[in-house]
Amino acid sequence: MTELTDLGVAAIRDGVRDGSFSARDVAQAFIAKVSAAKALNAFLVETPDHALAAADAADTAKAAGEDLKPLAGVPIGMKDLFCTKGVPATAASLILEGFTPTYESTVSGKLFAAGAGMLGKLNMDQFAMGSSNETSAFGNVISPWRRNDGGNAALAPGGSSGGSSSAIAARLCPAATGTDTGGSIRQPAAFTGIAGIKPTYGRCSRWGVVAFASSLDQAGPMARDVRDCAIMLEAMTGFDAKDATSLDLPVPKWEAGLSPDLKGKTIGIPKEYRVDNMPAEIDALWQQGIQWMRDAGAEIVEVSLPHTKYALPAYYIIAPAEASSNLARYDGVRFGLRDLPEGANLQDMYAATRAAGFGDEVKRRIMIGTYVLSAGFYDAYFTQASKVRTLIARDFEHAFETCDYLLTPTAPSAAFALGEKQADPIAMYLNDVFTVPASLAGLPAISVPGGLDAQGLPLGLQIIGRPLDEQGVLNAGLAIEQRAGFVARPEAWW
């Protein structure tokens, strides 16, 4: 018999509805799995009572013959960037240690209203700044995957949503929330062999989500497969008057609209994504993905995104600039950490609190952001980067005149060992080379697992779509998923 923790969102939802098992049985199975997997350091806070309360509500509703909510019986993980009422939210930073929100983020509130229970808050890169989950103030998240070369090096689960990706891959939860500023849903999904979608900017409310870069941050789901992502996305999205960037549009029925048939669709292959020193395995998977698209009925064309080479430099000006502004609120006055040396004045308290509370990567980005926003350099850096961002968005518009979706690799490599790139920030930033352009343009994009490299580690393919075409992105992702037949999973060592 299949273990309950091997089931995904759709299977759990349907099993609870048809009486194959109770929601409490599901919750208890996942709670036990989470408790036994502390070696992964995926969860910062465990909330078994929340998961059990939601499960009992689902079982009670079923016993009473009531219609069950869309996610009734489904326990999920919540990235610690989402404020959750009565449960600590730290953004994996010491500066927010001890902060317990008295309110619920819009996204978490929507998921709970849909019947989901919360297994706990998931570890992440501090303030979502990182690509390996090594910047958390509460220790590295470890990927459940291992190389098959006989070594036992601990691998990065990707970042910043590394706790989410590790927990899903290890079967600690069937799905989780993530956030994506420059690739932080898609890259960790690729590293751990799961699916993850960043919707169009504005689809998911940012209210109650700790801010990194406000014009880029976007919440999205991470799950075992495309269908589960579609189910989660339906529950997460919708207009929110509390968020000025929220899109006032109806929520489509993405699960009902899933289809792997791409007849009549055109897939664009951006020639600029063939970067120098790309591993042969990444290129081979990309070529295989092109063949899968043809098999699904799509036509393949080459397209050009000429400003792609400027995307990373522009991103690492714009994102730190917005971060330096957003993180100014953490000063030791209103909430979180306060470091007040004896005899210190207010300015001393600001400096001591921020020095003690922020990690090295956060400090680095604050300093970069403050520099590019300073009076003497604003036009030279931030203004120029904003212009490049416009050109990148225009490149996508032109490409979509001749194709419906773009197919690219998700990341330039498989998962690397923890510590392998930590000493070189530039090497770490290059992990986002394929994901950042879609983020700058605010486009929907999904990563789905396509295969394994020679060391037995997952590799992902990315589909990028037009604004608001999450359905097309999901369908193209489903076409890849069905043809890839990816069923590999990490062997439990934790």
Side-chain angles (χ1 to χ4, degrees):
M1 178 179 174
T2 303
E3 288 189 25
L4 292 176
T5 54
D6 286 334
L7 302 178
V9 173
I12 292 171
R13 176 198 65 186
D14 296 345
V16 169
R17 286 180 179 177
D18 66 22
S20 297
F21 40 76
S22 71
R24 176 167 266 267
D25 288 341
V26 173
Q28 289 176 328
F30 278 105
I31 289 167
K33 202 83 178 271
V34 169
S35 181
K38 297 189 189 302
L40 296 176
N41 200 31
F43 281 85
L44 294 176
V45 178
E46 296 175 25
T47 57
D49 291 345
H50 192 291
L52 289 171
D56 289 343
D59 288 338
T60 299
K62 178 168 175 55
E66 300 173 6
D67 290 337
L68 294 185
K69 296 177 179 179
L71 291 176
V74 179
I76 62 171
M78 190 70 62
K79 185 176 180 178
D80 201 33
L81 212 62
F82 294 82
C83 289
T84 42
K85 187 175 182 179
V87 180
T90 67
S93 177
L94 290 177
I95 208 161
L96 276 174
E97 191 172 19
F99 171 60
T100 301
T102 57
Y103 54 90
E104 195 73 56
S105 76
T106 298
V107 165
S108 59
K110 283 179 175 291
L111 288 165
F112 299 153
M118 181 171 66
L119 291 161
K121 301 298 287 294
L122 291 158
N123 204 348
M124 52 178 281
D125 278 305
Q126 187 170 162
F127 282 103
M129 298 181 193
S131 299
S132 63
N133 224 136
E134 293 177 272
T135 71
S136 171
F138 306 109
N140 304 341
V141 176
I142 300 174
S143 172
W145 289 86
R146 286 288 187 267
R147 291 171 177 150
N148 62 12
D149 59 5
N152 199 35
L155 301 179
S160 64
S161 305
S164 300
S165 64
S166 180
I168 295 166
R171 273 52 179 178
L172 309 188
C173 58
T177 58
T179 61
D180 193 308
T181 304
S184 290
I185 286 174
R186 291 161 286 159
Q187 184 250 25
F191 274 17
T192 56
I194 65 172
I197 182 170
K198 180 194 84 70
T200 305
Y201 180 79
R203 276 287 198 192
C204 291
S205 171
R206 293 185 298 108
W207 193 86
V209 182
V210 178
F212 165 15
S214 299
S215 74
L216 294 159
D217 298 344
Q218 189 58 199
M222 303 171 72
R224 309 263 179 83
D225 57 35
V226 172
R227 184 184 182 191
D228 286 355
C229 283
I231 295 168
M232 286 282 289
L233 192 61
E234 282 186 39
M236 294 172 66
T237 54
F239 175 65
D240 180 11
K242 299 189 293 293
D243 177 5
T245 61
S246 178
L247 297 172
D248 191 358
L249 296 168
V251 177
K253 300 294 184 183
W254 286 303
E255 183 190 10
L258 286 174
S259 170
D261 184 0
L262 301 184
K263 288 185 178 66
K265 301 296 183 181
T266 303
I267 306 295
I269 308 299
K271 61 182 181 181
E272 289 81 9
Y273 275 51
R274 291 188 173 89
V275 297
D276 294 338
N277 302 316
M278 180 189 288
E281 290 169 317
I282 300 290
D283 188 59
L285 178 66
W286 195 8
Q287 297 307 313
Q288 180 64 70
I290 291 170
Q291 187 54 49
W292 286 332
M293 294 288 92
R294 286 197 180 100
D295 183 66
E299 179 187 349
I300 307 297
V301 297
E302 185 176 76
V303 298
S304 179
L305 301 171
H307 295 92
T308 294
K309 60 184 177 182
Y310 305 118
L312 271 180
Y315 174 83
Y316 280 103
I317 291 171
I318 293 168
E322 295 186 13
S324 72
S325 177
N326 279 325
L327 272 60
R329 72 193 71 178
Y330 305 110
D331 53 13
V333 175
R334 288 157 291 186
F335 48 79
L337 178 72
R338 175 180 295 176
D339 192 333
L340 185 59
E342 186 176 349
N345 59 27
L346 184 63
Q347 188 65 40
D348 294 335
M349 185 193 75
Y350 288 162
T353 297
R354 292 168 70 81
F358 289 137
D360 290 344
E361 181 62 27
V362 176
K363 291 175 184 175
R364 179 183 293 117
R365 298 198 193 193
I366 289 173
M367 293 297 289
I368 292 171
T370 303
Y371 178 81
V372 301
L373 290 177
S374 60
F377 301 98
Y378 183 93
D379 286 337
Y381 290 101
F382 188 77
T383 299
Q384 288 297 104
S386 298
K387 291 178 180 178
V388 170
R389 182 180 188 176
T390 299
L391 294 174
I392 290 168
R394 192 174 300 167
D395 285 349
F396 280 109
E397 290 175 9
H398 291 161
F400 286 129
E401 290 174 1
T402 57
C403 67
D404 297 290
Y405 322 114
L406 302 174
L407 173 68
T408 79
T410 305
S413 72
F416 46 84
L418 292 170
E420 193 173 294
K421 299 187 178 184
Q422 190 69 2
D424 184 356
I426 301 301
M428 189 70 77
Y429 296 165
L430 288 171
N431 278 283
D432 301 329
V433 65
F434 297 137
T435 55
V436 156
S439 294
L440 288 171
L443 301 174
I446 192 171
S447 177
V448 293
L452 301 174
D453 73 356
Q455 294 182 314
L457 300 181
L459 300 173
L461 288 168
Q462 176 180 221
I463 296 288
I464 304 170
R466 293 186 178 97
L468 304 177
D469 189 17
E470 285 80 9
Q471 188 70 70
V473 168
L474 288 162
N475 288 350
L478 183 62
I480 290 175
E481 181 179 271
Q482 291 188 354
R483 285 157 179 80
F486 186 91
V487 294
R489 57 184 292 181
E491 294 185 14
W493 55 263
W494 54 94

